[in-house]
Amino acid sequence: MSRLHDVFAPYWSSIQTALFPWVEVTLGPLTNNQQQLVTTLEVIRVEEHLPYLWKGFPGRPLKDRAAIARAFVAKAIYGMATTRMLLDRLATDAALRRICGWEKKRDVPSESVFSRAFAEFAANHLTERVHEALIKSTLHDRLVGHLSRDGTAIGAREKPVQKPEQPPQPPKKRGRPKHGEEPVRRPPTRLERQQTMTLEEMCADLPTACNVGTKRNSQGHQESWIGYKLHLDTADGDIPISCLLSSASMHDSQAAIPLATLSAQRVISLYDLMDAAYDAPVIKAHSRSLGHVPLIDTNPRRNAALKGELQGEARRRALIHLPSAEDVRYHERSAAERVNGRLKDEFGGRYVRVRGHAKVTCHLMFGILALTANQLMRLIT
């Protein structure tokens, strides 16, 4: 925490003593959302990751992409569903417009320019690069106690892609193969293939098309949605460390190894906290290979004896009021639920109005950037 305070103290001091008074003299008193926007823009420094600041390129000059990027951050903080709502707010809110970088109403680009700029941000992975730089600059040498891993449903307004029909498999012969006959080997699963893949290969192997996902909620009822699934690694303090976006139908466990590898490149952590969906020997072995301790809820599957044994152990521990050390640490996994909830309720995670994996990722990452900056500033104040 002291290291984090040392990193952000100059930012917070400049915002409190220099930036806020100067902005308020120029624009008048700032609202809570405007103060949060000013703080977020000062922390993430999105303009430092844009290649469009130099105006010496031939051809028609580009509109100021830095101001447009700041406006999309404002869209996430204000929880606006569409770009049209953002433009209407910029037209009437002089303070918001000047914070983003436009002096006059006529300086704000049209909706089509915003759309083209957003497509450029998505294609160039701008938001992913800004988030990676923010995490590495603040947490790369700080020891993270727990990483909570979870996936959450992301609804989208797209036509789902139908799964290709699998060709019928010949029936498997019973018994041992004949002398000289090669045994029929099943193809390796994605988890088994990931053991020998690089991070780039693992990410490229994940399905990314919009389709239909189904899961069982906390009340035991099945629910379905059309869209994607966002997989997040969350550190103590509710700070998103890394994320991947996949098809809605992909099982959570298939994102565990690439997500753990990605997080290990950014922070040093001790415990990996995952629910029963990640209970697989391959995932546990990979977590240990990174020097982590996997704490994964046991999935008895169809083993009735194991299920009864787990329930009996839980009753005996509750009777003597003696929870295990693993259970106490596992309670930290609620950080993942809080981050998922805040992303959807406060930073635009429920309002996905773009189509395609790259654009949906960019939209969600603007919200994650604002959420990450907000949590980092909460920790030091």
Side-chain angles (χ1 to χ4, degrees), residues 23 56 72 92 121 140 248 261 318 350 377:
V23 173
F72 279 119
T92 58
F121 299 156
H140 72 284
T261 305
R350 296 191 190 277
M377 299 309 297

Side-chain angles (χ1 to χ4, degrees), residues 157-264:
R157 294 186 174 183
E158 296 184 52
K159 184 177 180 180
V161 176
Q162 299 294 330
K163 288 185 178 180
E165 293 186 4
Q166 298 295 333
Q169 298 292 333
K172 185 179 178 181
K173 293 182 180 180
R174 300 181 62 182
R176 296 174 60 184
K178 296 180 181 179
H179 180 70
E181 183 181 0
E182 287 291 331
V184 179
R185 301 184 183 277
R186 63 173 179 83
T189 63
R190 178 174 281 119
L191 284 177
E192 293 170 343
R193 295 198 306 270
Q194 287 175 347
Q195 291 180 287
T196 57
M197 287 181 173
T198 63
L199 177 60
E200 291 74 16
E201 292 172 341
M202 286 188 286
C203 293
D205 186 55
L206 297 179
T208 57
C210 173
N211 60 14
V212 180
T214 303
K215 69 174 183 179
R216 193 176 299 275
N217 60 23
S218 57
Q219 285 75 36
H221 304 294
Q222 279 195 345
E223 54 185 19
S224 299
W225 75 97
I226 296 175
Y228 301 88
K229 185 179 288 185
L230 181 66
H231 308 269
L232 271 172
D233 266 7
T234 304
D236 297 330
D238 300 355
I239 302 174
I241 299 298
S242 58
C243 64
L244 292 172
L245 187 70
S246 71
S247 299
S249 61
M250 194 188 81
H251 196 264
D252 289 354
S253 62
Q254 298 180 17
I257 294 178
L259 201 58
T261 305
L262 185 60
S263 297

